[in-house]
Amino acid sequence: MISNNPALSRFLESYGIIVVVLVMMAILYATQPATFLSATNLSNIIKQNAYPAMLALGMFVVIITAGIDLSVGSVLGLSIICLAVADKAGVPWPIVLLIGPLVGTACGLVNGLGYTLLKLPHPFIMTLGTLNIARGLTSLISQAPISGLQPEVRYAGQKVFTEFLGYQVFTPPAGIPFSLLLVIVCAVALWFFLNRTNMGRHIFAIGGNPQAARVSGIDVDRVLVYVYAICGFFAGLAALLLAGRTDSGFPLAGVGNELDAIAAVIIGGASFFGGRGTVLGVLAGVLIMGLLRNGLNLNNISPFWQQILIGLIIIIAVYIDVLRRRAATRR
């Protein structure tokens, strides 16, 4: 039994999600050996899942505190429209690149300040309100897509590196997407922040027991404002990547993406009850969802099955988390 084997239990706790990813890749390769591991398909998987990875990283910080942010999809939409409008107005590209993250951070601050200052019972309420506000503002700014962005903006979502140290490693259009490098940099920075700084430790402490965190001297409200600002910042970065990949800003961008972000975090092993999870697990959760969609598309299976399967995976992941908590309370 796994429960009677501490070494195996620890291994599955730490690396079980990676095993799931490898098993999925093996299954997809077995079903589509000529297509799945092609450089072009793998490059497409990375580019398609770069912006969901950014959303999930931001959502992870919120879920660590046992919170939730339902507004990230709408914040992405508002950020991408503001970015595109500024681009078409002739704003210099360095400023355009900053607009998405800045708008996202501002929205996150509104979420954090509204939740803490108004003493709302749960962030669900505040972020549900900002979901609608941000989506309404997006439509007021533009009800039509805005395309034809500057090359520097498209770089973030479309640039692919085919050479390494002067040697051609990939044949275009396959290669290492710049968006992958950006996700890796952000993931490493977030890991360092959460695991090697006092603020990061305070975030985990709040998720573990907010009352105990207050008693120990942690300014819980201040930390939560930072948490939601960070989530908004990542939504703004996701907007930049999506704008670059699609060469446009469109008002329906991000619709439903908040659910994908939550799903990726939970599938990746984070707990809805807070205080638990890893950056690597979140990225693995994003990859699992990306592989699932890619595999179904390669096998010409209806996209509606994607929704069904991801819904089932979320239920299973949360149920496993509940069982884990029950087992921990019995010890």
Side-chain angles (χ1 to χ4, degrees), residues 209-276:
N209 190 326
Q211 296 306 319
R214 281 193 173 90
V215 171
S216 67
I218 297 174
D219 188 339
V220 173
D221 287 352
R222 182 174 68 90
V223 173
L224 288 176
V225 171
Y226 282 118
V227 163
Y228 285 91
I230 291 169
C231 186
F233 170 77
F234 275 103
L237 277 180
L240 175 60
L241 290 180
L242 182 58
R245 187 169 73 85
T246 61
D247 187 25
S248 67
F250 48 103
L252 294 181
V255 171
N257 283 170
E258 60 277 354
L259 302 181
D260 286 348
I262 295 169
V265 174
I266 299 305
I267 291 171
S271 173
F272 253 136
F273 303 100
R276 182 178 180 278

Side-chain angles (χ1 to χ4, degrees), residues 122-146:
H122 196 276
F124 179 97
I125 299 169
M126 184 66 200
T127 60
L128 180 61
T130 51
L131 176 156
N132 289 283
I133 293 170
R135 188 59 65 185
L137 287 174
T138 301
S139 297
L140 285 174
I141 294 171
S142 177
Q143 296 183 11
I146 302 171

Side-chain angles (χ1 to χ4, degrees), residues 47 50-51 76 79-81 83-84 87 96-97 146-160 178-179 182 236-250 253:
K47 287 187 286 187
Y51 88 89
L76 183 157
S79 300
I80 200 172
I81 281 294
L83 179 158
D87 184 278
V96 173
L97 295 179
I146 302 171
S147 59
L149 306 180
Q150 298 178 55
E152 292 82 2
V153 178
R154 298 198 303 270
Y155 186 100
Q158 297 183 5
K159 176 64 177 179
V160 175
F178 173 80
S179 55
L182 186 58
L237 277 180
L240 175 60
L241 290 180
L242 182 58
R245 187 169 73 85
T246 61
D247 187 25
S248 67
F250 48 103

Side-chain angles (χ1 to χ4, degrees), residues 7-31:
L8 182 58
S9 296
R10 286 194 298 271
F11 175 82
L12 292 177
E13 182 80 12
S14 301
Y15 303 106
I17 190 71
I18 306 300
V19 174
V20 172
V21 171
L22 294 176
V23 169
M24 286 188 68
M25 293 182 71
I27 293 173
L28 291 176
Y29 176 71
T31 58

Side-chain angles (χ1 to χ4, degrees), residues 48-121:
Q48 289 167 2
N49 290 281
Y51 88 89
M54 288 296 189
L55 285 180
L57 289 173
M59 185 67 73
F60 173 53
V61 182
V62 171
I63 287 180
I64 290 175
T65 66
I68 197 167
D69 188 345
L70 297 177
S71 69
V72 292
S74 296
V75 170
L76 183 157
L78 180 59
S79 300
I80 200 172
I81 281 294
C82 290
L83 179 158
V85 168
D87 184 278
K88 299 306 287 187
V91 175
W93 67 264
I95 298 177
V96 173
L97 295 179
L98 294 175
I99 287 177
L102 287 175
V103 171
T105 302
C107 292
L109 285 172
V110 170
N111 279 332
L113 290 170
Y115 172 47
T116 56
L117 293 178
L118 298 178
K119 304 298 181 184
L120 297 176

